[in-house]
Amino acid sequence: GAVVSQHPSRVICKSGTSVKIECRSLDFQATTMFWYRQFPKQSLMLMATSNEGSKATYEQGVEKDKFLINHASLTLSTLTVTSAHPEDSSFYICSARDYGGETQYFGPGTRLLVL
Amino acid sequence: SQQGEEDPQALSIQEGENATMNCSYKTSINNLQWYRQNSGRGLVHLILIRSNEREKHSGRLRVTLDTSKKSSSLLITASRAADTASYFCATDAWNGNKLVFGAGTILRVKS
């Protein structure tokens, strides 16, 4: 099946710093990428949807200025958590879907810990 | 936002037994998908069932869909300890381009 990678897999940072997470589709062109957040023992909550070359669509309650999403190419989307705080500590997962595809392929996730 | 509920929230069974997980949703859908997640890992796609399908099989997995009740079930037959994981249903709505996940069921298979 299609492969989606994320980098880094784990990051620890100090409060107030910004963290960038990359999501890449390795063997297909992802016209749409999605970013999810998952707190311990909870389900995935969709944060935003991004289409290549256009602005991301954020879900209600997600601050667009805090979670910057860039989908600059058909194989790469980045999520930047700006001025991270301890409450932003979570598991961030991206997924990608190719044009007309029904299946979303998920990355392995990035665990963020903000001290 | 989450689409619906899954039950049970947690399920513990012996190896060899069957495991059944249920998922309910609220809006009209294009398809419903089941995913598996091992602890602290990403999601693995298990099976997709379209709104005009009622049942689908894949190996030891059997998925049913009842659009009149807005519910789906995932059956894992002859469970193995390696099936221990969290299982999520996710719906793909007609008017959306995104998956909305249920709360998930934590399955533990004891050997």
Side-chain angles (χ1 to χ4, degrees), chain A residues 67-109:
Chain A
F67 299 100
L68 301 178
I69 292 171
N70 187 336
H71 191 163
S73 77
L74 285 171
T75 58
L76 173 65
S77 176
T78 60
L79 167 68
T80 301
V81 184
T82 61
S83 186
H85 291 284
E87 58 265 30
D88 298 323
S89 298
S90 188
F91 193 50
Y92 292 87
I93 307 175
C94 74
S95 69
R97 172 186 262 178
D98 62 5
Y99 180 74
E102 290 179 306
T103 302
Q104 283 190 30
Y105 300 96
F106 283 79

Coordinates of all heavy atoms in Angstrom, one line a residue, chain A residues 67-109:
Chain A
F67 N -1.4 26.9 14.6 CA -1.1 25.7 13.8 C -1.0 26.0 12.3 O -2.0 26.0 11.6 CB -2.1 24.6 14.1 CG -2.2 24.2 15.5 CD1 -3.2 24.6 16.3 CD2 -1.3 23.3 16.1 CE1 -3.3 24.3 17.7 CE2 -1.4 22.9 17.4 CZ -2.4 23.4 18.2
L68 N 0.2 26.4 11.9 CA 0.4 26.8 10.5 C 0.6 25.6 9.6 O 1.4 24.7 9.9 CB 1.6 27.7 10.4 CG 1.5 29.0 11.3 CD1 2.8 29.8 11.1 CD2 0.3 29.8 10.9
I69 N -0.2 25.5 8.6 CA -0.1 24.4 7.7 C 0.3 24.9 6.3 O -0.3 25.8 5.8 CB -1.4 23.6 7.6 CG1 -1.6 22.9 9.0 CG2 -1.4 22.6 6.5 CD1 -3.0 22.3 9.1
N70 N 1.3 24.2 5.7 CA 1.8 24.5 4.4 C 1.8 23.3 3.5 O 2.4 22.3 3.9 CB 3.2 25.1 4.5 CG 3.6 25.7 3.1 OD1 3.2 25.2 2.1 ND2 4.6 26.6 3.1
H71 N 1.1 23.3 2.4 CA 1.0 22.1 1.5 C 1.6 22.6 0.2 O 0.9 22.8 -0.8 CB -0.4 21.6 1.4 CG -0.5 20.3 0.7 ND1 -1.7 19.6 0.8 CD2 0.3 19.6 0.0 CE1 -1.6 18.5 0.1 NE2 -0.4 18.4 -0.4
A72 N 3.0 22.7 0.2 CA 3.6 23.4 -0.9 C 3.8 22.5 -2.1 O 3.9 23.0 -3.2 CB 5.0 23.8 -0.4
S73 N 3.8 21.2 -2.0 CA 3.9 20.3 -3.1 C 3.0 19.1 -3.0 O 2.3 19.0 -1.9 CB 5.4 19.8 -3.3 OG 5.6 18.8 -2.3
L74 N 2.9 18.3 -4.0 CA 2.0 17.2 -4.0 C 2.5 16.0 -3.1 O 1.8 15.0 -3.0 CB 1.8 16.7 -5.4 CG 0.8 17.5 -6.3 CD1 0.8 17.1 -7.7 CD2 -0.6 17.5 -5.7
T75 N 3.7 16.2 -2.5 CA 4.2 15.1 -1.7 C 4.6 15.6 -0.3 O 5.0 14.8 0.5 CB 5.4 14.5 -2.3 OG1 6.4 15.5 -2.5 CG2 5.1 13.8 -3.7
L76 N 4.4 16.9 0.0 CA 4.8 17.4 1.3 C 3.8 18.4 1.9 O 3.4 19.3 1.2 CB 6.2 18.1 1.1 CG 6.7 18.8 2.3 CD1 7.0 17.9 3.5 CD2 8.0 19.6 2.0
S77 N 3.5 18.2 3.1 CA 2.8 19.1 3.9 C 3.5 19.3 5.3 O 4.0 18.3 5.8 CB 1.3 18.6 4.2 OG 0.6 19.5 5.0
T78 N 3.5 20.5 5.8 CA 4.1 20.7 7.1 C 3.1 21.4 8.0 O 2.3 22.2 7.6 CB 5.3 21.7 6.9 OG1 4.9 22.9 6.4 CG2 6.4 21.0 6.1
L79 N 3.3 21.0 9.3 CA 2.5 21.6 10.4 C 3.5 22.2 11.3 O 4.4 21.6 11.8 CB 1.7 20.5 11.1 CG 1.0 20.9 12.4 CD1 -0.1 21.9 12.2 CD2 0.5 19.7 13.2
T80 N 3.3 23.5 11.6 CA 4.1 24.2 12.5 C 3.3 24.6 13.7 O 2.3 25.3 13.6 CB 4.8 25.5 11.9 OG1 5.6 25.1 10.7 CG2 5.7 26.2 12.9
V81 N 3.7 24.1 14.9 CA 3.1 24.5 16.1 C 3.8 25.7 16.6 O 5.0 25.6 17.0 CB 3.1 23.4 17.1 CG1 2.3 23.8 18.4 CG2 2.5 22.1 16.5
T82 N 3.2 26.9 16.6 CA 3.9 28.1 17.0 C 3.8 28.4 18.4 O 2.7 28.1 19.0 CB 3.4 29.3 16.2 OG1 2.0 29.5 16.4 CG2 3.6 29.1 14.7
S83 N 4.8 28.9 19.1 CA 4.8 29.2 20.5 C 4.1 28.1 21.3 O 3.1 28.3 21.9 CB 4.1 30.6 20.7 OG 4.1 31.0 22.0
A84 N 4.7 27.0 21.2 CA 4.1 25.8 21.8 C 4.0 25.9 23.3 O 4.9 26.5 24.0 CB 4.9 24.5 21.4
H85 N 2.9 25.4 23.9 CA 2.7 25.3 25.3 C 2.5 23.9 25.8 O 2.2 23.0 24.9 CB 1.6 26.2 25.7 CG 1.9 27.7 25.5 ND1 2.7 28.4 26.4 CD2 1.5 28.6 24.5 CE1 2.8 29.7 26.0 NE2 2.1 29.8 24.8
P86 N 2.6 23.6 27.0 CA 2.5 22.2 27.5 C 1.1 21.6 27.1 O 1.1 20.4 26.8 CB 2.6 22.4 29.0 CG 3.5 23.5 29.2 CD 3.2 24.5 28.1
E87 N 0.1 22.4 27.0 CA -1.2 21.8 26.6 C -1.2 21.4 25.1 O -2.2 20.7 24.7 CB -2.3 22.8 26.8 CG -2.2 24.1 26.2 CD -1.6 25.2 27.1 OE1 -0.7 24.8 27.9 OE2 -1.9 26.4 26.9
D88 N -0.2 21.8 24.3 CA -0.1 21.4 22.9 C 0.6 20.0 22.8 O 0.6 19.4 21.7 CB 0.7 22.4 22.1 CG 0.1 23.7 22.1 OD1 -1.2 23.8 22.0 OD2 0.8 24.7 22.1
S89 N 1.1 19.5 23.9 CA 1.7 18.1 23.9 C 0.6 17.1 23.5 O -0.5 17.1 24.1 CB 2.2 17.8 25.3 OG 3.2 18.7 25.7
S90 N 0.9 16.4 22.5 CA 0.0 15.5 21.9 C 0.6 14.6 20.9 O 1.8 14.7 20.6 CB -1.2 16.2 21.3 OG -2.2 15.4 20.9
F91 N -0.1 13.7 20.3 CA 0.3 12.9 19.2 C -0.3 13.5 17.9 O -1.5 13.5 17.8 CB -0.2 11.4 19.4 CG 0.5 10.4 18.5 CD1 1.9 10.3 18.4 CD2 -0.3 9.5 17.9 CE1 2.5 9.4 17.6 CE2 0.3 8.5 17.1 CZ 1.7 8.4 17.0
Y92 N 0.5 13.9 17.0 CA 0.0 14.5 15.8 C 0.2 13.6 14.6 O 1.3 13.0 14.4 CB 0.8 15.8 15.5 CG 0.5 16.9 16.5 CD1 1.2 17.0 17.7 CD2 -0.6 17.8 16.3 CE1 0.9 18.0 18.6 CE2 -0.9 18.8 17.2 CZ -0.2 18.9 18.4 OH -0.5 19.8 19.3
I93 N -0.8 13.3 13.9 CA -0.8 12.3 12.8 C -1.3 13.0 11.5 O -2.3 13.7 11.5 CB -1.8 11.1 13.1 CG1 -1.4 10.5 14.5 CG2 -1.7 10.1 12.0 CD1 -2.4 9.4 14.9
C94 N -0.6 12.8 10.4 CA -1.0 13.3 9.2 C -1.5 12.1 8.3 O -1.2 10.9 8.6 CB 0.1 14.0 8.4 SG 1.3 12.9 7.7
S95 N -2.3 12.4 7.4 CA -2.8 11.4 6.4 C -2.8 12.1 5.0 O -2.9 13.3 4.9 CB -4.1 10.8 6.8 OG -5.2 11.8 6.6
A96 N -2.8 11.2 4.0 CA -2.8 11.7 2.6 C -3.8 10.9 1.8 O -3.9 9.7 2.0 CB -1.4 11.7 2.1
R97 N -4.3 11.6 0.8 CA -5.3 11.0 -0.1 C -4.9 11.4 -1.5 O -4.6 12.6 -1.7 CB -6.7 11.4 0.3 CG -7.8 11.0 -0.7 CD -9.1 11.6 -0.3 NE -9.9 10.7 0.5 CZ -11.1 11.0 1.1 NH1 -11.5 12.2 1.0 NH2 -11.7 10.1 1.8
D98 N -4.9 10.5 -2.4 CA -4.6 10.9 -3.8 C -5.9 11.3 -4.5 O -7.0 11.1 -4.0 CB -3.8 9.8 -4.6 CG -4.7 8.6 -4.7 OD1 -5.8 8.5 -4.3 OD2 -4.1 7.6 -5.3
Y99 N -5.7 11.9 -5.7 CA -6.9 12.4 -6.4 C -7.9 11.3 -6.7 O -7.6 10.3 -7.3 CB -6.5 13.1 -7.7 CG -7.6 13.7 -8.5 CD1 -8.2 14.9 -8.1 CD2 -8.1 13.0 -9.6 CE1 -9.3 15.4 -8.7 CE2 -9.2 13.6 -10.3 CZ -9.8 14.7 -9.9 OH -10.8 15.3 -10.5
G100 N -9.1 11.5 -6.2 CA -10.2 10.6 -6.5 C -10.1 9.3 -5.6 O -11.0 8.5 -5.7
G101 N -9.1 9.3 -4.7 CA -9.0 8.1 -3.9 C -9.9 8.1 -2.7 O -10.3 9.2 -2.2
E102 N -10.4 7.0 -2.3 CA -11.3 6.8 -1.2 C -10.5 6.6 0.1 O -11.0 6.9 1.2 CB -12.2 5.7 -1.4 CG -13.3 5.9 -2.5 CD -14.2 4.7 -2.6 OE1 -13.6 3.6 -2.9 OE2 -15.4 4.9 -2.6
T103 N -9.3 6.0 0.0 CA -8.6 5.6 1.2 C -7.6 6.7 1.6 O -6.9 7.3 0.7 CB -7.8 4.3 0.9 OG1 -8.8 3.3 0.5 CG2 -7.1 3.8 2.2
Q104 N -7.6 6.9 2.9 CA -6.5 7.8 3.4 C -5.4 7.0 4.0 O -5.7 6.0 4.6 CB -7.1 8.7 4.5 CG -7.9 9.9 4.0 CD -8.2 10.8 5.1 OE1 -7.5 11.0 6.1 NE2 -9.4 11.5 5.0
Y105 N -4.2 7.4 3.7 CA -3.0 6.6 4.2 C -2.4 7.5 5.3 O -2.2 8.7 5.1 CB -2.0 6.4 3.1 CG -2.7 5.5 2.0 CD1 -3.2 6.1 0.9 CD2 -2.7 4.1 2.1 CE1 -3.8 5.3 -0.1 CE2 -3.3 3.4 1.1 CZ -3.9 4.0 0.0 OH -4.5 3.2 -0.9
F106 N -2.2 6.9 6.4 CA -1.7 7.6 7.6 C -0.3 7.5 7.8 O 0.3 6.4 7.6 CB -2.5 7.1 8.8 CG -3.9 7.6 8.9 CD1 -4.9 7.1 8.2 CD2 -4.2 8.7 9.7 CE1 -6.2 7.5 8.2 CE2 -5.5 9.2 9.8 CZ -6.5 8.6 9.0
G107 N 0.3 8.6 8.3 CA 1.7 8.5 8.7 C 1.8 7.9 10.1 O 0.8 7.6 10.8
P108 N 3.0 7.6 10.5 CA 3.3 7.0 11.8 C 3.1 7.9 13.0 O 3.1 7.4 14.2 CB 4.7 6.5 11.7 CG 5.3 7.5 10.8 CD 4.3 7.9 9.8
G109 N 2.9 9.1 12.8 CA 2.6 10.1 13.9 C 3.9 10.7 14.5 O 5.0 10.2 14.3

